[in-house]
Amino acid sequence: MSPFGSAGLEGLRRRIAAIEAGGAGRPAEGVGLRWMPLGLPALDQALGGGLAWESLHEVAGQAAGLEGTVTAFGLALAVRAARMRRRPVLVVQQDLAGLEGGRLYGPGLAEAGLPEGAVILVQVRRAEEALLVMEEGLKCTGLSVVMGEIASRLPDALTATRRLSLAAQAGGGLGLLLRPKPDPAPCAAQTRWRVAPAPGRPDAWGGLGAAGLAADLVRNHSGPPGRWQFVLRDGCLAQETEADRTEGWPAHDRTAHDQTGHDHPAAPLHAPAGGTALSQPVAGAAVHGPPRTRRAR
Amino acid sequence: MTVAPEKGALRLAALNRPAARLGLSAGLPLADARARHPDIDVAEHAPEADARALAALADACERYTPLLGLDAPDGLLLDISGCAHLFGGEAGLLRDLLARTAATGFSARGAIAGTPEAAAALARFSGRRGTIVPAGGDLAHLLAPLPLAALRLPPALLAALSRLGFLHMGDLAGKPRAPLAARFGAELLDRLDAATGVRRNAFVHREPPPRFSAEKPLADPVERVEDVLGLVLHLSGTLAAALERHGLGARRMDLALFRVDGTVTRLSVGSGRPVRDPAFMRRLFAEKVATIGSLDPGFGFDLVRLSVPLTEPLAPSQEDFDTAREADLALAALVDRLAARLGPGQVLVPLAVDAHVPEEACRLAPAQSVRRAFDPVRLAAPLLPEGDMVGPSRPPRLFARPEPVEAVAEVPDGPPTRFRWRRLVHHVAAAEGPERIAAPWWREEGFSPTRDYFRIETTEGRRFWLFRAGLFGTEVQHPAWYVHGLFG
């Protein structure tokens, strides 16, 4: 193995990039700041500057059974935070959530942007234990994000989430509470998101390309709610670009491409039902809610 | 009185004192015993339960010395060299030991002698409740009246010796050694020499004694958890000083709480890196106590011992201003606390494994056991060229057991056009694949089909990781489909 770790050449490139960007010893970005900019100007403005550090954010599925979408959105936020703070992520998963929507999977997390060594995975059985681990993790200054997935009902949601918010204030990290099912119970989170899948953006070679995601910001402590549409790129949320809009799936040319390399008849597939929706990106445009007003805090 | 089946009949295995007074003895068939005394009570012989009881007794005896050996099935050997003065001398120790044992409901006999073999023989066969041979006592003389069975010789050898008139140990004294060894083997003389102290056998410890250990006997037993944790803090302070002198830190700590009634509660905590801070050790034990609810103090604990069985070098350290190091330490402390509370097997780090089958490509290892420094450079954003949008090839969520789906494909070896999973029909909008993963053929596990994995996007935009088990036509006729993971 090379002395620069397992990543080899890629690791070296990253190291050089880190040095060029100001040196690996330079303090990580975002420490002492209140907001974590998401890199999407309109959304950052609606949030008051970005997602708030030192607070709890809730991500729930718009319907039951959207564990994958909830995880993808939560991971995108976590990856951005971890890259800014350059600290590992603590992930707490309730066993029930693992049974219903699959356990978190190391190689998949690594591809999403959390490589080996950047994730600590805690598995617990009861919701109370998950909350306790999240609270302990949020109080710890050595982590950037604490992401907890709780499938069962929270026993006392308002108190529990308020405790988590206070713990996040003490530790300074980002708290993400993932709920596979929407929970109408009151919640003390800074922002609450309801996420749903959206058609993705194919790449230039007919592959699936970047995944799409629609998120309702149903509660926002520092600005108006709204509806946003994203694509997932490099593990982070991104806005749709002009290129994406023009390069939607051609309605009749959605073919499978064969990785095994042997000649394989391409199977024509169904045209997407929501195909026309692709040309109506709404990123950066609040669909409902009043124009942004700064609330006195 | 207990019975055990032996040689096709139920025979008496162990007797209490009233039964022995009736003239019964071990080895007698139960039918004979019943014929003589029809109203005797018998229970089944349970050697495992006996072993457990002996182990509990050994735990309780650890209050006298950490050097303890089992003399199964019914004896304990305590190495009390240098310990006796703490309990008022040898006589005081023996008195205390026998009184405590009697209080737990066992009848016991004890002996203190220069060799463990002599002590065992005296305790079993001298007929006295307590025997103390002063240092330098003539062991050969004291042992002479004891029967040869005290040497724990095999029955056949004993029978052979008794036929020749050798019944007591004294009978062998002064006999020429060479003919004895030639006739009865070296074992007889070895055991005799070990008992009389001519030669020394190694003492076999029940558990290796810890190198660092501190204890606090209490005149007034404590019951409250806070008091116990306060004592842990006190003992950790003592141990920390000793550890620092040796440049070591603790990786595992065992706490033994000796109850007044002889029961011992043991708590063990581990840490991912060597530690020495007494306050941190106390916190780990506080987490451990919180998991078991509360300690059951009975009538209180009158001895608390903290030992460190596992150590690792830890250089004396100095506080510095490096925030990254501080954050690493905070993280390590968090991992230790969570592991103490939930168990080390619940706090995990995923590790890549060189395997193609997806469920084997990732191993979850206890975070405490993985000693790899976190490298923040690895968290830098990837350096992919702009616009290159290759999606992930592995899902962030994987089902432990692939879930079967009903799928419809246009061609048998192509991707599905629609599938039903958990009673919902999903229409496939686009698919990528197949990625063919064959079962490892070098394993002898019987047939497991080749899998063709497809990354699927449905018309809703959900992304699944589906696979078809078995190659159509060559391996199976009707391949089954499974969903193995969720991308989004």
Side-chain angles (χ1 to χ4, degrees), chain A residues 14-189:
Chain A
R14 283 181 181 184
R15 202 169 279 265
I16 292 168
I19 291 166
E20 279 174 355
R26 151 186 83 108
E29 298 167 64
V31 175
L33 289 182
R34 183 131 189 239
W35 310 106
M36 177 183 81
L38 292 172
L40 307 166
L43 177 57
D44 284 342
Q45 203 188 8
L47 289 169
L51 212 58
W53 288 110
E54 305 181 7
S55 56
L56 180 74
H57 304 272
E58 191 208 60
V59 182
Q62 218 146 40
L66 291 178
E67 290 92 353
T69 317
V70 170
T71 313
F73 188 77
L75 277 178
L77 298 178
V79 165
R80 188 166 180 89
R83 283 180 185 161
M84 289 183 94
R85 287 268 165 110
R86 305 232 188 104
R87 297 297 313 164
V89 177
L90 180 79
V91 185
V92 191
Q93 198 181 27
Q94 202 191 354
D95 287 346
L96 181 62
L99 284 174
E100 283 184 352
R103 284 269 167 93
L104 290 170
Y105 180 53
L109 293 177
E111 283 196 69
L114 293 177
E116 206 171 281
V119 196
I120 298 167
L121 201 60
V122 182
Q123 293 172 345
V124 294
R125 198 140 50 88
R126 293 181 300 127
E128 290 86 351
E129 287 173 323
L131 289 170
L132 185 125
V133 173
M134 280 186 78
E135 192 179 327
E136 287 282 319
L138 282 168
K139 280 187 203 156
C140 175
T141 50
L143 292 164
S144 57
V145 183
V146 175
M147 187 163 96
E149 187 184 9
I150 302 179
S152 57
R153 275 173 50 84
L154 295 183
D156 182 2
L158 193 60
T159 316
T161 47
R162 198 166 282 157
R163 281 185 72 111
L164 293 183
S165 298
L166 289 174
Q169 271 174 28
L174 192 70
L176 295 173
L177 180 63
L178 308 189
R179 311 300 312 277
K181 290 174 202 140
D183 189 350
C187 174

Side-chain angles (χ1 to χ4, degrees), chain A residues 4 6-7 10-11 13-15 17-18 24 64-69 71-72 75 79 82-83 86-88 90 93 95 97-109 111-125 129 132-133 136-137 140-144 149 178 180 197-203 205-212 231-234 244 249 254-260 262 264-265 267-274, chain B residues 283 287 323-335 337-338 341-342 345-353 356-365 367 372-400 403 410-411 413-418 421-422 424 427-436 452-465 484-488:
Chain A
F4 301 100
S6 56
E10 174 70 5
R13 285 210 184 100
R14 283 181 181 184
R15 202 169 279 265
L66 291 178
E67 290 92 353
T69 317
T71 313
L75 277 178
V79 165
R83 283 180 185 161
R86 305 232 188 104
R87 297 297 313 164
L90 180 79
Q93 198 181 27
D95 287 346
L99 284 174
E100 283 184 352
R103 284 269 167 93
L104 290 170
Y105 180 53
L109 293 177
E111 283 196 69
L114 293 177
E116 206 171 281
V119 196
I120 298 167
L121 201 60
V122 182
Q123 293 172 345
V124 294
R125 198 140 50 88
E129 287 173 323
L132 185 125
V133 173
E136 287 282 319
C140 175
T141 50
L143 292 164
S144 57
E149 187 184 9
L178 308 189
R201 306 288 169 272
D203 60 21
W205 304 281
L208 289 185
V231 291
L232 289 174
R233 198 169 298 157
D234 295 346
D244 297 332
W249 285 113
R254 314 199 64 185
T255 55
H257 79 259
D258 201 338
Q259 291 191 342
T260 51
H262 58 79
H264 177 75
L269 296 163
H270 283 279
Chain B
R283 242 183 122 174
E287 296 282 351
T323 52
R325 197 183 125 74
E326 220 169 77
D328 282 340
L329 288 179
L331 184 57
L334 174 75
V335 167
R337 276 208 311 281
L338 292 180
R341 181 154 197 135
L342 305 168
Q346 305 297 108
V347 186
L348 305 161
V349 286
L351 296 178
V353 176
H356 292 286
V357 181
E359 52 264 44
E360 292 170 11
C362 177
R363 182 169 66 89
L364 291 174
R372 193 178 299 170
F374 165 70
D375 183 3
V377 174
R378 302 197 64 189
L379 265 178
L383 298 170
L384 287 174
E386 195 62 34
D388 187 1
M389 300 204 306
V390 180
S393 66
R394 293 286 180 272
R397 305 188 73 125
L398 192 82
F399 289 105
E403 302 205 346
E410 294 210 338
V411 287
D413 52 355
T417 52
R418 63 173 190 271
W421 177 55
R422 292 185 178 172
L424 271 181
H427 291 276
V428 176
E432 231 180 58
E435 179 185 350
R436 181 160 293 173
D452 274 351
Y453 277 92
F454 292 90
R455 293 189 286 283
I456 301 281
E457 182 169 321
T458 68
T459 47
E460 283 181 311
R462 298 187 63 178
R463 291 192 172 191
F464 293 93
W465 206 34
H484 204 177
L486 302 178
F487 283 100

Side-chain angles (χ1 to χ4, degrees), chain B residues 136-448:
Chain B
D138 184 1
L139 282 175
H141 176 70
L142 276 166
L143 292 173
L146 300 189
L148 279 171
L151 288 180
R152 303 287 197 90
L153 296 170
L157 187 55
L158 277 180
L161 283 164
S162 71
R163 269 204 302 278
L164 296 179
F166 294 118
L167 295 175
H168 297 96
M169 285 200 216
D171 299 342
L172 292 173
K175 294 283 175 296
R177 295 172 65 89
L180 275 180
R183 176 81 191 261
F184 299 108
E187 195 182 0
L188 171 66
L189 291 176
D190 281 354
R191 297 219 174 178
L192 190 64
D193 289 350
T196 50
V198 175
R199 55 176 283 167
R200 295 245 160 206
N201 281 349
F203 189 79
V204 180
H205 294 124
R206 181 163 162 255
E207 276 164 28
R211 190 168 158 205
F212 296 95
S213 169
E215 63 183 39
K216 183 88 187 154
L218 304 163
D220 211 7
V222 295
E223 290 178 14
R224 296 190 321 147
V225 170
E226 292 77 27
D227 295 342
V228 171
L229 292 175
L231 285 165
V232 169
L233 186 68
H234 170 76
L235 294 175
S236 317
T238 316
L239 283 182
L243 287 167
E244 189 159 17
R245 270 199 303 282
H246 290 86
L248 293 171
R251 283 290 309 281
R252 217 180 78 215
M253 286 148 279
D254 290 341
L255 181 68
L257 300 167
F258 294 81
R259 257 164 62 166
V260 177
D261 60 5
T263 319
V264 181
T265 308
R266 287 171 189 277
L267 301 175
S268 182
V269 295
S271 127
R273 73 204 148 90
V275 290
R276 222 159 34 204
D277 178 17
F280 183 69
M281 294 188 190
R282 179 194 179 279
R283 242 183 122 174
L284 287 183
F285 278 109
E287 296 282 351
K288 190 76 187 176
V289 171
T291 56
I292 55 173
S294 71
L295 297 168
D296 176 16
F299 296 106
F301 302 110
D302 64 348
L303 177 70
V304 179
R305 175 183 294 146
L306 183 66
S307 48
V308 179
L310 187 64
T311 58
E312 222 169 75
L314 174 65
S317 65
Q318 189 175 330
E319 296 298 316
D320 56 22
F321 300 105
D322 188 353
T323 52
R325 197 183 125 74
E326 220 169 77
D328 282 340
L329 288 179
L331 184 57
L334 174 75
V335 167
D336 288 342
R337 276 208 311 281
L338 292 180
R341 181 154 197 135
L342 305 168
Q346 305 297 108
V347 186
L348 305 161
V349 286
L351 296 178
V353 176
D354 191 8
H356 292 286
V357 181
E359 52 264 44
E360 292 170 11
C362 177
R363 182 169 66 89
L364 291 174
Q368 277 186 321
S369 66
V370 177
R371 317 294 302 284
R372 193 178 299 170
F374 165 70
D375 183 3
V377 174
R378 302 197 64 189
L379 265 178
L383 298 170
L384 287 174
E386 195 62 34
D388 187 1
M389 300 204 306
V390 180
S393 66
R394 293 286 180 272
R397 305 188 73 125
L398 192 82
F399 289 105
R401 193 176 285 265
E403 302 205 346
V405 295
E406 299 165 31
V408 178
E410 294 210 338
V411 287
D413 52 355
T417 52
R418 63 173 190 271
F419 61 94
R420 184 204 293 270
W421 177 55
R422 292 185 178 172
R423 291 184 288 174
L424 271 181
V425 177
H426 298 274
H427 291 276
V428 176
E432 231 180 58
E435 179 185 350
R436 181 160 293 173
I437 298 177
W441 50 263
W442 53 91
R443 290 200 199 144
E444 293 174 16
E445 286 170 3
F447 173 72
S448 74

